[in-house]
Amino acid sequence: MRTLYGLSYSGWTEKARWALDHHRVDHRYREHMPLIGELALRWRTPKGTHPSVPLFVEEDVATTGSFAIARRAEALGQGSALFPANAMAAIQRWEAVSDQVLSIARASVVSRLLHNPRAQAESLPSFIPGFLRGVSAPTARLGARFIARKHKAMADPEAAIRQTAIPALEHLRAELRGRPYLEDGFTYADITACAMLQFARPVDDAWLPLGPGTREIWHHESLSAAFPDLLAWRDDLYAKHRRPQARALGVRSGGAASRTG
């Protein structure tokens, strides 16, 4: 069975999941546990490659990174192309912009997690019972600091939001000009651009189930207020092109149906 390892709240993981879902690639999903799952992640990652999620593991090959996984999904699956030749320049350009913004989002969320006990409790592994989650908060903070060190998170994400994220979203608004898609029809350019809006306001629970604390640290009030049109565009794309997600961590997707695996 093909397996996608990821962090459900991560924009990079969501890009990979959306592409696999779009192409009906049969696979199961497994949630990665930062710090706790690092040794297993390193073991699964091809030698010479930085261990990170999303990671798509097949019988004889492992693919890292949302862009590469989306391309792999297109080679394996069915349905309309997400990478048409005439859209590749735009796709690559928006992927680069999206990666920049998602790096800022990660730094912002990690910083907020350190000061939000409810989000800390929600970030703990599911096997920790509810009555222990409060006293286990230091473990969540340790995991957040590990992510920050591993990915060299910037010290001042708010400055980066002003300098990079806001101009990127303004450019997206200008390029869309009220259209439903960035290119002639739905492509990976739309998926990767959508991911930038995750830390303005997370998409609804039907597609991304989050606890209230986690949703709180992903909601950036000023960005949400500045770009309601882009959030509406994102939500419309989800309604048209993204199937709702199961709430269980072990999810088998693809084909005509999804079920818990």
Side-chain angles (χ1 to χ4, degrees), residues 99-109 154 157 160-161 164-165 199:
D99 280 351
Q100 278 189 310
V101 173
L102 288 178
S103 293
I104 296 168
R106 178 170 57 202
S108 174
V109 168
M154 59 203 66
I161 288 170
T164 302
F199 87 122

